Amino acid sequence: MKSKDTFGSKIALVAATVGSAVGLGNVWRFPAETQANGGAAFLLVYIACVFLLGVPVMVGEFALGRGIKEDAVGVYRRLAGKTPWWLAGTLPIIASYMILSFYIVVAGWTLEYFFFSVTGDLFQSSSETIAYSWGEACDVQFKEKMTEYIQSDFKPIIFTFIAIILNLLILVNGVKKGIGKISNILMPILFIILLLFCCVSLSLPKATEGLKFFMSPDFSKITPMVCVNALGQAFFSLSLGMGVLSTSASYFPKDTKLVTTAITVSSLDLLVALMMGVIIFPAVTSFGLLGNELEGATLVFVTLPQVFSQMHFSEFWSALFFLLLFVAALTSTISIAEVTIKFFEDRFKVSRIKSCILVILPLFILSSVCSLSQGTLSHIKIFGYSIFDALDACSSNIMLPVGAIIMSIFIGWYVDKKVLKDEMTNHGEINSIMYPIVAFILKWIAPVLITIVLLSPLLK
Ligand code: PHE
């Protein structure tokens, strides 16, 4: 579908793209991955992935989106006609749906934490915890709350369903106006709040120890699996390989500088992730939790409430944080769902409402299964992973990078060089010294390096 609309101003354009990129990936997934993959060593590989592979692939997606102005499959169809290349466009559609089915569950958790912060239940300690020392009591209390809010059967599913229905309502009514405007206001507020929490966390007693874990790398910890996870996290966090960015870029005006925009979006996304690290790890060490076997969710849903409980008006800060996080998640879930909705609309000529319902309905079942796999169904394992983690690892760590390899090969080898050059130089209006570099990375470095990283765990 051709789109003539363009984003009003440059700031709105960057804000909207950052809105899709910044979400639970930065706040919930990044600290969990960093913790599980050895701290600073992971961070180092992650930063390399963002700038060496993420930015060029993002420029490539932007170029295809603004140049062709169609959905994920449409881009391949237009440039490669009836050849099987269009199949490459279906990969993002499947990956996005898999991501949506677990992402929406985490969005439900943030809504639940918001609700129980408002009611004060989150900070209500049970009497048994009194026998512990203060730090332990705090830990036990919030772990119990996490078990109740995340691992029980009904509560999390109810909040996940509310999140799904909210998505449906927004998607049916069109995305751009309402939620776009709200997120433009709330995103900067989230940023300021994170900055405030950084200060609180850095003032905790063992802050330096936590910072050391996060920032001073032990190179021996860089293993093939750490590289795969860092790559997956970079692609997940930057919303790459899913057609989300190419769809956004189809609304970019002609004079938008694609490289500058890609660097700005990636840097802001990285900044939010770094701020989360600075908040979480000093708190983890100060509460004596580093080295404990922490599951991913624990960092945000146990450690952060501990930080809030250190502050005056805990309920207020906690409610504000989880509300903003929910909004950040919502801007992401909507952009993920939009990939599949647009696909049905454009390819099968289904009406907007039907397409939304078609995409959203199966989500009730899939998300319930994901949610239950945190508790009742946790014994079901796929290659040693819970259903939730298997969906996450397969879509983020395998399908998104594979999608990016195919796209790089498509741009680097198949498509006329002119498409990338025209888009990067705004049809000769500006000089892009980055063009040869990005073209080279897309042609050689990205396909080769991503393939090596993906295959490296098998070579062990
Ligand atoms: N980048 C988003 C985040 O970090 C998640 C996302 C992935 C959104 C893919 C859109 C597409 O939370």
Side-chain angles (χ1 to χ4, degrees):
M1 190 186 287
K2 289 248 175 202
S3 45
K4 291 195 196 75
D5 293 350
T6 51
F7 285 110
S9 69
K10 289 211 171 72
I11 300 211
L13 172 161
V14 173
T17 317
V18 171
S20 160
V22 171
L24 298 168
N26 309 60
V27 178
W28 152 75
R29 203 174 184 279
F30 173 78
E33 289 287 310
T34 308
Q35 150 93 22
N37 288 285
F42 173 85
L43 177 63
L44 207 65
V45 185
Y46 175 73
I47 294 176
C49 289
V50 167
F51 289 108
L52 194 63
L53 296 169
V55 172
V57 171
M58 192 181 281
V59 172
E61 273 204 38
F62 281 168
L64 288 183
R66 192 176 61 176
I68 309 302
K69 302 199 182 348
E70 289 203 24
D71 70 296
V73 175
V75 164
Y76 286 94
R77 269 261 154 95
R78 271 276 302 281
L79 288 168
K82 293 240 179 306
T83 62
W85 272 110
W86 67 269
L87 278 172
T90 57
L91 195 70
I93 312 272
I94 300 167
S96 67
Y97 207 76
M98 288 167 72
I99 289 183
L100 194 56
S101 52
F102 69 83
Y103 198 99
I104 197 81
V105 175
V106 187
W109 297 344
T110 59
L111 192 59
E112 197 177 358
Y113 269 73
F114 163 69
F115 180 79
F116 289 116
S117 302
V118 172
T119 63
D121 183 74
L122 179 60
F123 295 94
Q124 219 86 61
S125 59
S126 63
S127 51
E128 296 115 67
T129 54
I130 286 166
Y132 297 93
S133 71
W134 172 80
E136 281 172 336
C138 235
D139 188 27
V140 170
Q141 177 193 333
F142 290 117
K143 275 198 180 133
E144 279 177 0
K145 294 288 179 193
M146 187 181 96
T147 309
E148 183 190 334
Y149 296 164
I150 292 182
Q151 290 166 346
S152 64
D153 285 348
F154 293 111
K155 266 190 191 159
I157 293 187
I158 291 168
F159 283 93
T160 301
F161 282 7
I162 298 175
I164 296 179
I165 291 166
L166 278 174
N167 266 276
L168 182 64
L169 291 178
I170 295 169
L171 285 163
V172 166
N173 285 306
V175 177
K176 289 262 127 40
K177 297 243 160 55
I179 192 81
K181 281 224 174 87
I182 295 174
S183 69
N184 281 357
I185 301 166
L186 292 183
M187 277 289 154
I189 301 181
L190 176 70
F191 207 76
I192 294 166
I193 295 289
L194 286 180
L195 210 59
L196 176 78
F197 292 154
C198 282
C199 300
V200 176
S201 214
L202 287 175
S203 67
L204 287 169
K206 287 189 185 157
T208 13
E209 217 176 291
L211 276 187
K212 214 169 134 219
F213 172 77
F214 184 49
M215 301 214 157
S216 97
D218 169 359
F219 291 100
S220 66
K221 291 205 171 132
I222 301 181
T223 62
M225 224 32 226
V226 166
C227 297
V228 173
N229 292 333
L231 186 70
Q233 174 60 22
F235 278 80
F236 186 92
S237 190
L238 298 175
S239 311
L240 286 175
M242 289 203 0
V244 168
L245 295 176
S246 60
T247 312
S248 275
S250 66
Y251 300 103
F252 286 3
K254 284 200 299 266
D255 62 345
T256 302
K257 295 181 179 138
L258 298 189
V259 178
T260 317
T261 309
I263 293 176
T264 313
V265 171
S266 306
S267 306
L268 286 174
D269 188 74
L270 176 65
L271 189 62
V272 174
L274 289 177
M275 283 162 93
M276 267 321 283
V278 170
I279 295 172
I280 292 273
F281 293 108
V284 169
T285 40
S286 299
F287 292 105
L289 298 172
L290 197 64
N292 286 13
E293 258 314 305
L294 292 178
E295 304 148 43
T298 317
L299 288 173
V300 165
F301 296 102
V302 172
T303 311
L304 268 188
Q306 290 182 333
V307 176
F308 300 140
S309 69
Q310 292 295 288
M311 302 165 76
H312 297 291
F313 312 112
S314 314
E315 286 89 352
F316 170 78
W317 294 115
S318 179
L320 184 64
F321 175 78
F322 284 112
L323 178 67
L324 292 172
L325 189 51
F326 179 67
V327 175
L330 208 58
T331 54
S332 296
T333 48
I334 284 165
S335 70
I336 308 175
E338 186 67 21
V339 176
T340 327
I341 290 173
K342 217 174 158 50
F343 169 73
F344 280 121
E345 272 187 302
D346 288 3
R347 297 296 126 203
F348 301 102
K349 306 287 172 236
V350 189
S351 72
R352 172 91 192 163
I353 293 192
K354 271 201 195 130
S355 181
C356 288
I357 293 175
L358 214 62
V359 169
I360 295 293
L361 272 189
L363 211 54
F364 283 101
I365 299 168
L366 274 173
S367 65
S368 304
V369 174
C370 275
S371 179
L372 289 172
S373 77
Q374 295 292 310
T376 308
L377 299 182
S378 60
H379 58 282
I380 301 179
K381 300 280 182 212
I382 305 170
F383 294 114
Y385 289 102
S386 69
I387 300 173
F388 183 109
D389 291 340
L391 273 173
D392 180 354
C394 176
S395 53
S396 319
N397 295 355
I398 301 174
M399 294 171 80
L400 296 187
V402 167
I405 294 177
I406 298 174
M407 194 204 72
S408 309
I409 294 178
F410 186 63
I411 302 182
W413 296 87
Y414 186 84
V415 175
D416 188 347
K417 285 191 183 56
K418 217 172 140 326
V419 175
L420 183 66
K421 189 166 190 177
D422 279 352
E423 290 305 321
M424 285 187 69
T425 59
N426 291 351
H427 293 264
E429 292 284 305
I430 51 168
N431 244 334
S432 182
I433 44 163
M434 292 299 283
Y435 167 71
I437 302 171
V438 171
F440 181 75
I441 292 180
L442 287 178
K443 185 163 187 165
W444 294 103
I445 311 279
V448 174
L449 206 60
I450 302 175
T451 308
I452 294 177
V453 171
L454 283 183
L455 294 181
S456 57
L458 302 177
L459 301 178
K460 265 204 307 177

